[in-house]
Amino acid sequence: MEVTTKNLRVLAIVAVVFCTGCATPSSPDGMTVTTLATASQVPPKLRSQVAVKDVIGGSETNPILQSNIESSAFEGALDASLRNAGLAAPNRQAGLYQLEATIKQVDQPVFGFSMTVTTTVYYDLIERSSNKSVWTQTITRSYTAKWEDAFYG
């Protein structure tokens, strides 16, 4: 096949279309819980007493493949969610408790019109003074994004 200017233009258009559909990293905003209990529903002992200690298990997004949940993005969402609930300590060094989160599993399709992602995260709430776990739980949740959600960023 002879390479012509027309063939190069078609190839360039295909490349542009392909690249606009590239995977992008997860956004903390998209993972932040905003409809938590109001501060008045939070037990007084926990108000402003929980600091995020560490988030592990995430993976970086390869733009050619599918989006992944990066540990730093999930940490930002976890911290914002704690703030929205009135639980967040003023900084990482403050508070009676530290929260560790481990992203255990992320199941997601490679492509589709409505994409359901299921994530499993293990949480460990640690009392800072004793360094002992006071609450642990593994939580699995799913979210289905419709195909038109991709156009809203």
Side-chain angles (χ1 to χ4, degrees):
M1 180 170 128
E2 182 180 320
V3 178
T4 65
T5 305
K6 182 178 179 181
N7 290 346
L8 290 175
R9 284 184 190 150
V10 170
L11 182 59
I13 291 169
V14 168
V16 168
V17 169
F18 177 75
C19 288
T20 58
C22 291
T24 58
S26 55
S27 159
D29 292 341
M31 295 182 286
T32 299
V33 178
T34 57
T35 55
L36 288 173
T38 62
S40 64
Q41 295 173 308
V42 173
K45 185 176 181 179
L46 293 177
R47 279 190 205 136
S48 302
Q49 293 300 322
V50 181
V52 176
K53 181 178 180 184
D54 202 11
V55 173
I56 60 172
S59 57
E60 290 188 26
T61 295
N62 179 336
I64 296 172
L65 302 174
Q66 62 193 23
S67 295
N68 290 314
I69 299 174
E70 296 181 12
S71 294
S72 60
F74 192 79
E75 183 176 318
L78 184 57
D79 187 57
S81 297
L82 291 171
R83 288 192 192 293
N84 290 342
L87 293 166
N91 59 59
R92 283 181 162 236
Q93 290 71 38
L96 298 174
Y97 303 97
Q98 296 176 303
L99 183 62
E100 292 182 346
T102 303
I103 301 169
K104 300 298 262 180
Q105 187 170 348
V106 179
D107 293 323
Q108 60 185 330
V110 176
F111 61 90
F113 289 106
S114 292
M115 309 226 350
T116 299
V117 176
T118 302
T119 306
T120 301
V121 180
Y122 171 77
Y123 294 95
D124 188 3
L125 186 66
I126 302 163
E127 184 179 53
R128 190 184 295 268
S129 63
S130 67
N131 203 33
K132 293 188 178 183
S133 293
V134 295
W135 174 84
T136 61
Q137 188 164 1
T138 300
I139 299 175
T140 301
R141 293 290 182 264
S142 296
Y143 176 76
T144 300
K146 295 181 176 42
W147 72 272
E148 61 265 16
D149 293 342
F151 302 109
Y152 297 116

